[in-house]
Amino acid sequence: MTATVTVSVVSERPAALAGMPRLPWPWAAAGLGALVICCAVGVLVGPVHIGVGAVVQALIGGQVDPGQANILWSLRFPRVVLGVLVGGTLAVSGAAYQGVFRNPLADPYLLGAAAGANLGATLAIAFAPGTSILGVNIIPLAAFVGAGAAVAGAYALGRSVTGLRSATGLILAGVAIAAFFNSIQSYVQQTQTASIRQVYSWILGRLVTAGWDDVLLILPYVILSAAAIFVHRRLLDALTLGEDEVTSLGIPVRRVRLIVVVAATLGTAAVVAVAGTIAFVGIIVPHAIRLLIGRSYRVVIPLSMLFGAAFLVLADAGARTVVAPAELPIGVITAFLGAPFFIAVMRSTRAAAL
Amino acid sequence: MRMHQPGASAKLAFRFFAVAFVSVFLVASCGGTPTSSTSAPASHFPVSITEPSGAIVTIAHQPHRVVSLSPTATEMLFAIGAGSQVIAVDDQSNFPANAPTTKLSGFTPNIEAIAAYTPDLVVAAEDTGSLVHGMQALNVPILLEPAARNLDDSYLQIKQLGLATGHSTQADSLVASMRSQVGALVASVSKPARRLKVYHELDNTFYSVTSATFIGQAYKLLGLTNIADAATAATPDYPQLSPEFIVSSNPDLIVLADTKCCQQDLNAVAARPGWRAIAAVKSGHVVGVDDDIASRWGPRIVDFMRAVASQVKQIEMAA
């Protein structure tokens, strides 16, 4: 339904947008190649050594040692697939938020999604451990609901204050909601010291999962979210022209903003629910693409999906090998690898594109 | 922050009087007889106790208003018959059932709230939030008994608490009884044909313990190989293990110290992806223990070791 509306708007797209570049196919191929290589690294490395031959045999259904097959199919493959979904969604949601708010510092957690998810997960860990609803563990459910509630709260608050005339009102509402949720989360964590290790582990993010269950749990939301943002990529380009100008061209700015924010929030809430609040991916991946390849959302959106997925799969391979057989929280790796890389990109491009 | 301002100024006032009081006390005691003996028999006060940190704590009179901010110390105090001298214990001290649990926190201690009980001895596991400084300013003796590294540390703490409260005889007999029970349990586990492997789980994000920890020492005494020791290089005490490493290590025994925090049991473990292949899961040797017993270093360690030893014997008999 969203798609039809969008297509009709886009079909009468103004001439001003005609000059925006399309996705160059060599970059699309490079993104796909990076994703394939990172996934290969992801399935090949880990605290348990499994050779290339065994991995290939497992994938094509050949004869594999049952112990290795168990580790590959129950633990490593679902973890890599989850990394693809989480990384792609965080990067694309970050790009979408940056487009909607025309704010380079926007990330998927801008309107309080992380604070809401953290609070939901902390409450579930502290007060309802081990319970599940309809066969689904309560922690991801609570995180999903928390993230959605925080962003809905920020949206309602922003609209009541500024009537959504400016994105700034919405961002400030998000900051206020996040601070409020964080304070409650800190209080609960302080009073429930027995669960502090679990909460900490959750907040720093991890792809240690319930295997394929988590993948299937978030798959519908991730697909819906990515598809909705993908079809709006031309309108995100249009938004860069400025709100008044775009409105005068007949583009329903507020509706576009609402649809994209809802889509990005849905995806973010879903991935945060199973992987915790992994930092930095939603900021650096889209910006690195803007700096190195191009600013058009027709470039940034699809490439964020590919490179975001590749980056997180690689970061997770690091998380489970750097201190093997122990694990590091993946948020430690994303920031530790991501920040120097991003600085290098900024220096090499002389920040011309910022 | 603003809320703490009145507290801070009250603390300053307290400190002023405390310093004045201490000065008077020092002048008075200079003329008196020397007052220290580590080998003092029960109820012969004053006593001096050397903490693991090297600090010396002097307790002038037998305390009758003891505040314990450490769940382990609470268990030890009651086990040596000093329970009647304990007037308040922290919110985590849930054993024994008749311990006077209060809202006091050992995690974020509030000096004023502790002072309100007018204690004559405070026992804590760690010096957080300037606890020691605050108590010294109030001239209340404070004894730190930090997390034990092994059973000997634990025995020493029991004896120190006995000395501090005038129950040295009971403390000595408790230690003797623990020693003989532990010895019997270790002896009861016959030398197996191969070393059995154990995985100890602190929570369902796979935090575990190495042999460098108190609980890890218990496994070592019982002749078990701890799979978490492979992670010692990067994370010496409490590593968060990779699930594929746990599965491929194939432990013979899984001990769940997350039965209360995370409601884990054999069924929950068997439902984890890939875990059905583990020997302990196949043979049902997944044993739940009380989270608290496994995270403290008190007298109930004997119960914990008995539960583990009985599993080890079952596994050996089945083999």
Side-chain angles (χ1 to χ4, degrees), chain B residues 10-54:
Chain B
K11 221 160 80 179
L12 271 177
F14 262 117
R15 200 169 295 166
F16 174 78
F17 286 113
V19 167
F21 181 72
V22 169
S23 316
V24 171
F25 178 76
L26 282 177
V27 170
S29 64
C30 275
T33 50
T35 59
S36 92
S37 160
T38 40
S39 59
S43 72
H44 280 203
F45 285 85
V47 293
S48 289
I49 294 163
T50 308
E51 289 178 347
S53 66

Side-chain angles (χ1 to χ4, degrees), chain B residues 163-175:
Chain B
L163 193 60
T165 56
H167 291 269
S168 278
T169 319
Q170 287 113 308
D172 289 347
S173 61
L174 174 63
V175 168

Side-chain angles (χ1 to χ4, degrees), chain A residues 46-48 70-71 74-76 79 125 129-130 190 193 196-198 200-201 206 208-211 320 323-327, chain B residues 92 107-108 202-207 230-231 234-235 238-245 247-248 260-263 273-274 277:
Chain A
V48 178
N70 181 38
I71 285 172
S74 302
L75 296 164
R76 222 181 263 179
R79 198 163 161 164
I125 290 168
Q190 190 80 351
T193 50
I196 201 161
R197 196 184 282 115
Q198 261 182 301
Y200 173 78
S201 175
R206 68 196 205 292
V208 179
T209 64
R320 69 188 124 97
V323 294
E327 297 223 5
Chain B
Q92 302 298 312
F107 185 66
T108 52
L202 287 177
D203 68 18
N204 56 358
T205 65
F206 316 133
Y207 272 98
T235 41
Y238 300 97
Q240 185 175 31
L241 294 178
S242 204
E244 65 177 71
F245 169 74
V247 171
S248 77
K260 278 159 79 173
C261 80
C262 325
Q263 315 281 310

Side-chain angles (χ1 to χ4, degrees), chain A residues 75-88:
Chain A
L75 296 164
R76 222 181 263 179
F77 291 158
R79 198 163 161 164
V80 168
V81 172
L82 195 72
V84 169
L85 297 181
V86 172

Side-chain angles (χ1 to χ4, degrees), chain B residues 200-224:
Chain B
H200 179 99
E201 177 166 296
L202 287 177
D203 68 18
N204 56 358
T205 65
F206 316 133
Y207 272 98
S208 189
V209 298
T210 69
S211 293
T213 64
F214 179 74
I215 210 77
Q217 285 290 302
Y219 290 119
K220 206 172 175 181
L221 282 173
L222 293 170
L224 293 160

Side-chain angles (χ1 to χ4, degrees), chain B residues 53-307:
Chain B
S53 66
I56 293 171
V57 178
T58 302
I59 300 162
H61 307 284
Q62 184 174 22
H64 291 283
R65 299 185 63 81
V66 179
V67 170
S68 169
L69 301 175
S70 154
T72 300
T74 303
E75 294 194 18
M76 290 175 173
L77 286 165
F78 277 80
I80 60 173
S84 61
Q85 289 153 258
V86 177
I87 54 156
V89 300
D90 74 301
D91 55 355
Q92 302 298 312
S93 285
N94 53 7
F95 188 89
N98 59 333
T101 307
T102 65
K103 285 187 172 174
L104 290 178
S105 167
F107 185 66
T108 52
N110 183 321
I111 311 284
E112 285 187 25
I114 299 164
Y117 286 93
T118 58
D120 49 13
L121 175 65
V122 173
V123 184
E126 51 190 334
D127 181 20
T128 51
S130 317
L131 177 65
V132 169
H133 190 76
M135 286 300 128
Q136 282 169 348
L138 297 173
N139 201 30
V140 175
I142 171 160
L143 186 58
L144 288 186
E145 299 290 9
R149 282 276 167 194
N150 50 47
L151 277 168
D152 285 338
D153 283 359
S154 185
Y155 296 150
L156 182 68
Q157 293 190 3
I158 291 171
K159 289 185 174 192
Q160 288 188 338
L161 288 171
L163 193 60
T165 56
H167 291 269
S168 278
T169 319
Q170 287 113 308
D172 289 347
S173 61
L174 174 63
V175 168
S177 145
M178 286 173 72
R179 271 190 206 281
S180 75
Q181 289 185 76
V182 168
L185 286 170
V186 170
S188 76
V189 184
S190 61
K191 290 283 170 221
R194 64 182 178 94
R195 280 178 79 89
L196 298 176
K197 286 176 287 184
V198 64
Y199 162 59
H200 179 99
E201 177 166 296
L202 287 177
D203 68 18
N204 56 358
T205 65
F206 316 133
Y207 272 98
S208 189
V209 298
T210 69
S211 293
T213 64
F214 179 74
I215 210 77
Q217 285 290 302
Y219 290 119
K220 206 172 175 181
L221 282 173
L222 293 170
L224 293 160
T225 297
N226 187 342
I227 66 162
D229 282 347
T232 310
T235 41
D237 300 328
Y238 300 97
Q240 185 175 31
L241 294 178
S242 204
E244 65 177 71
F245 169 74
I246 300 168
V247 171
S248 77
S249 296
N250 196 26
D252 304 287
L253 171 63
I254 294 178
V255 179
L256 300 173
D258 51 1
T259 52
K260 278 159 79 173
C261 80
C262 325
Q263 315 281 310
Q264 297 301 296
D265 57 18
L266 174 61
N267 289 334
V269 168
R272 296 174 186 170
W275 285 56
R276 265 184 205 283
I278 299 176
V281 179
K282 279 193 252 179
S283 62
H285 288 109
V286 176
V287 60
V289 295
D290 185 327
D291 304 11
D292 293 335
I293 299 180
S295 65
R296 296 174 190 175
W297 53 97
R300 290 195 290 166
I301 184 66
V302 177
D303 300 339
F304 170 81
M305 288 182 72
R306 188 172 295 121

Side-chain angles (χ1 to χ4, degrees), chain A:
Chain A
M1 242 167 68
T2 322
T4 29
V5 172
T6 312
V7 168
S8 67
V9 173
V10 172
S11 63
E12 52 201 73
R13 120 179 93 104
L17 296 176
M20 295 299 253
R22 292 167 175 283
L23 172 62
W25 68 263
W27 279 112
L32 271 176
L35 182 57
V36 170
I37 291 169
C38 290
C39 286
V41 171
V43 296
L44 284 172
V45 308
V48 178
H49 174 75
I50 301 176
V52 183
V55 172
V56 173
Q57 285 294 320
L59 280 171
I60 61 173
Q63 277 294 96
V64 197
D65 168 68
Q68 292 190 336
N70 181 38
I71 285 172
L72 286 172
W73 283 108
S74 302
L75 296 164
R76 222 181 263 179
F77 291 158
R79 198 163 161 164
V80 168
V81 172
L82 195 72
V84 169
L85 297 181
V86 172
T89 302
L90 287 178
V92 91
S93 299
Y97 265 70
Q98 286 144 22
V100 165
F101 294 107
R102 295 199 295 140
N103 182 333
L105 287 177
D107 78 354
Y109 309 140
L110 183 75
L111 297 184
N118 284 343
L119 176 61
T122 305
L123 289 172
I125 290 168
F127 298 113
T131 45
S132 53
I133 297 172
L134 299 173
V136 178
N137 188 302
I138 195 161
I139 297 174
L141 286 181
F144 185 78
V145 169
V151 176
Y155 211 91
L157 184 63
R159 195 167 67 175
S160 72
V161 175
T162 63
L164 292 187
R165 280 186 309 277
S166 77
T168 312
L170 195 50
I171 293 171
L172 290 176
V175 169
I177 292 274
F180 183 67
F181 276 42
N182 280 335
S183 72
I184 301 174
Q185 192 270 335
S186 299
Y187 172 76
V188 175
Q189 192 179 322
Q190 190 80 351
T191 51
Q192 304 290 322
T193 50
S195 54
I196 201 161
R197 196 184 282 115
Q198 261 182 301
V199 170
Y200 173 78
S201 175
W202 201 88
I203 285 176
L204 284 176
R206 68 196 205 292
L207 294 181
V208 179
T209 64
W212 296 109
D213 287 356
D214 279 352
V215 171
L216 294 176
L217 185 66
I218 67 167
L219 196 61
Y221 303 104
V222 165
I223 290 175
L224 198 66
S225 156
I229 295 171
F230 190 77
V231 300
H232 281 82
R233 64 199 188 284
R234 289 188 180 82
L235 289 170
L236 284 169
D237 275 339
L239 288 185
T240 59
L241 298 173
E243 188 159 338
D244 292 342
E245 204 169 333
V246 181
T247 310
S248 73
L249 292 171
I251 295 173
V253 175
R254 285 175 205 176
R255 196 174 70 200
V256 170
R257 183 182 289 156
L258 180 64
I259 291 171
V260 174
V261 166
V262 167
T265 301
L266 188 68
T268 302
V271 300
V272 158
V274 296
T277 45
I278 299 171
F280 221 54
V281 180
I283 289 222
I284 58 154
V285 173
H287 279 307
I289 290 164
R290 282 190 192 95
L291 288 167
L292 291 170
I293 304 165
R295 298 188 56 77
S296 161
Y297 280 91
R298 274 171 281 179
V299 174
V300 173
I301 295 292
L303 289 186
S304 289
M305 289 179 187
L306 294 173
F307 283 109
F311 175 62
L312 204 73
V313 169
L314 199 62
D316 185 51
R320 69 188 124 97
T321 50
V322 172
V323 294
E327 297 223 5
L328 282 178
I330 193 168
V332 172
I333 305 268
T334 54
F336 186 80
L337 292 180
F341 169 75
F342 189 56
I343 289 165
V345 168
M346 286 209 314
R347 283 183 62 87
S348 69
T349 56
R350 301 251 171 246
L354 285 180

